[in-house]
């Protein structure tokens, strides 16, 4: 039976691995996005994501742990495979927004859970990191939400269809 501390560290580590994966996904999205405003928002969020990962790593270290190389390696492989597929696929604009929107909501859910586990473990600092990171994810999801019409038009245009 795992202890509360072990569960907390596992959730922090999973969130850290998730952010490492997202950083690689963002690289691919930035590379395949032509719209200047979308690209700027993605680049800004990449910088935020780097900060999120650093805060999570610091929380792991506060618990005497370091990131799991196994979890991180799995995320790296998945992100690299997605990047290769992204470069080859058509309708990049729409799929980037779709994938980004889905990813932001997965991150929001992960931080909701991490915050609650941290609270139950009596770790207010980790709970605050989860809240802070989640707020940035929610803001990015809202930005992406505003791009749905533009993404649909760009996806259609990439296929030679005008609206």
């Amino acid at each position: 039976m795992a202890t509360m501390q072990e569960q907390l560290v596992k959730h922090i580590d999973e969130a850290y691995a998730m952010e490492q994966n997202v950083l690689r996904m963002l690289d691919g999205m930035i590379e395949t996005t032509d719209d200047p405003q979308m690209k700027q928002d993605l680049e800004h969020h990449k910088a935020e994501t780097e900060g999120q990962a650093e805060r999570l790593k610091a929380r792991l270290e506060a618990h005497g742990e370091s990131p799991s190389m196994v979890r991180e390696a799995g995320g790296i492989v998945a992100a690299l495979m997605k990047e290769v597929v992204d470069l080859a696929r058509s309708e990049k604009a729409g799929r980037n927004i779709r994938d980004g929107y889905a990813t932001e909501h997965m991150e929001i859910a992960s931080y909701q859970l991490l915050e609650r586990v941290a609270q139950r473990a009596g770790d207010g600092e980790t709970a605050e990191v989860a809240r802070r990171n989640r707020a940035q994810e929610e803001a990015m999801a809202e930005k992406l939400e505003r791009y749905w019409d533009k993404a649909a038009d760009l996806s259609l245009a990439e296929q030679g269809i005008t609206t």
Side-chain angles (χ1 to χ4, degrees), residues 10-24 53 56-57 60 67-76 79 111:
K10 180 188 80 161
H11 284 284
I12 298 168
D13 190 43
E14 287 173 353
Y16 177 80
M18 174 184 66
E19 293 302 357
Q20 293 303 308
N21 185 29
V22 169
L23 283 168
R24 287 165 187 86
L56 290 165
K57 185 176 180 184
L60 281 171
S68 166
M69 289 298 131
V70 173
R71 280 193 185 97
E72 192 173 340
I76 291 169
Y111 286 125

Side-chain angles (χ1 to χ4, degrees), residues 50-63:
E50 289 167 344
Q52 292 167 6
E54 285 303 311
R55 287 190 290 276
L56 290 165
K57 185 176 180 184
R59 294 313 305 146
L60 281 171
E61 291 169 352
H63 288 279

Side-chain angles (χ1 to χ4, degrees), residues 32 34 89-94 153-161:
T32 59
D34 295 325
R89 73 182 183 191
S90 59
E91 297 184 59
K92 291 176 178 81
D153 291 340
L154 289 170
S155 285
L156 292 170
E158 288 171 4
Q159 299 302 306
I161 302 167

Side-chain angles (χ1 to χ4, degrees), residues 122-134:
D123 184 349
E125 291 180 55
T126 297
E128 179 55 34
V129 164
R131 279 190 294 276
R132 182 176 175 191
N133 287 3
R134 185 180 71 242

